Amino acid sequence: MLLKRATLEGIAEGRITLAFRRWKRPTVRAGGELRTSIGVLGIDAVDRITERDITDTAARAAGYPDGDALLSELNRRPEGVLYRVALHLAGDDPRAALREQDALDDEAVAAIAARLDRFDRSSRRGPWTEAVLRLIADSPGTRAPDLAASLGRETQPFKRDVRKLKELGLTESLEIGYRLSPRGRAWLAARDSEG
């Protein structure tokens, strides 16, 4: 479930507590969490509704001036079932703290290496993790399509791979492109010192 930056800011401030979507199937579930750029969102409820259930009050809780404005937005994509999602800011993204952990002992270096090795072994294209990390290190803030093209890859699979590195706290997204986190820089430095 993608949320616009203004919506995320409203959730962080406590002004926005609802989101509305048309889905074939919900992409979130009650009791689940959603990681975003502002932190982790808690999903309190996911309810199937009708257009009649969209009141001006509910629309304002979703960041819209009234029900008509919300319905106008929702009807841009008329396919699917209408859902109301109740949500709140549950806490910080744990990856943010992980990114800052750059004092890597031998055990941490080995654990990261093992995870990256698994990514490389399961890839149909062969090893990719170190090449992508070094590319991001050399080209921070470069658009993902440009990075992908420099490796002869398509953008979306490249972005999926970078998200895997982000899960390990090795990279972080910028407004445009990526950069290595302190943890990512420390891991590459440890790799270089091995050679």
Side-chain angles (χ1 to χ4, degrees):
M1 181 169 134
L2 295 175
L3 296 165
K4 295 177 182 173
R5 183 71 196 176
T7 300
L8 290 172
E9 290 169 0
I11 293 168
E13 294 167 3
R15 291 182 292 105
I16 294 179
T17 58
L18 295 176
F20 292 84
R21 293 291 186 274
R22 286 193 190 273
W23 285 318
K24 292 180 183 174
R25 275 192 332 251
T27 61
V28 295
R29 61 178 174 73
E33 294 183 335
L34 182 65
R35 283 188 298 206
T36 71
S37 61
I38 63 159
V40 177
L41 302 184
I43 308 300
D44 301 315
V46 179
D47 300 308
R48 188 174 177 160
I49 63 168
T50 68
E51 288 187 4
R52 288 188 308 273
D53 296 314
I54 296 179
T55 64
D56 288 344
T57 300
R60 283 190 290 276
Y64 291 84
D66 55 41
D68 289 340
L70 173 56
L71 281 171
S72 176
E73 176 81 18
L74 289 167
N75 287 333
R76 289 183 185 174
R77 183 179 165 197
E79 315 84 37
V81 176
L82 192 56
Y83 288 90
R84 177 181 51 228
V85 179
L87 37 70
H88 69 279
L89 182 61
D92 294 331
D93 184 340
R95 295 175 300 183
L98 182 61
R99 289 192 300 256
E100 299 303 317
Q101 295 175 7
D102 62 351
L104 303 178
D105 59 17
D106 291 343
E107 186 177 321
V109 170
I112 294 168
R115 290 288 302 276
L116 296 178
D117 185 52
R118 265 186 298 217
F119 292 155
D120 287 339
R121 281 186 282 121
S122 66
S123 172
R124 291 187 182 130
R125 334 166 267 294
W128 61 269
T129 58
E130 192 164 339
V132 170
L133 284 168
R134 292 195 184 280
L135 179 63
I136 291 170
D138 293 341
S139 307
T142 300
R143 295 175 53 243
D146 297 332
L147 293 172
S150 74
L151 295 173
R153 298 190 52 197
E154 293 181 23
T155 301
Q156 290 311 313
F158 176 82
K159 285 179 156 185
R160 278 192 299 273
D161 284 346
V162 174
R163 280 194 295 272
K164 292 175 186 175
L165 301 173
K166 189 175 182 180
E167 289 296 317
L168 297 179
L170 301 175
T171 64
E172 52 190 305
S173 296
L174 302 172
E175 196 69 35
I176 296 173
Y178 315 97
R179 70 178 169 208
L180 288 187
S181 67
R183 184 178 183 84
R185 289 192 301 274
W187 189 81
L188 276 184
R191 288 288 284 183
D192 291 341
S193 69
E194 291 172 2

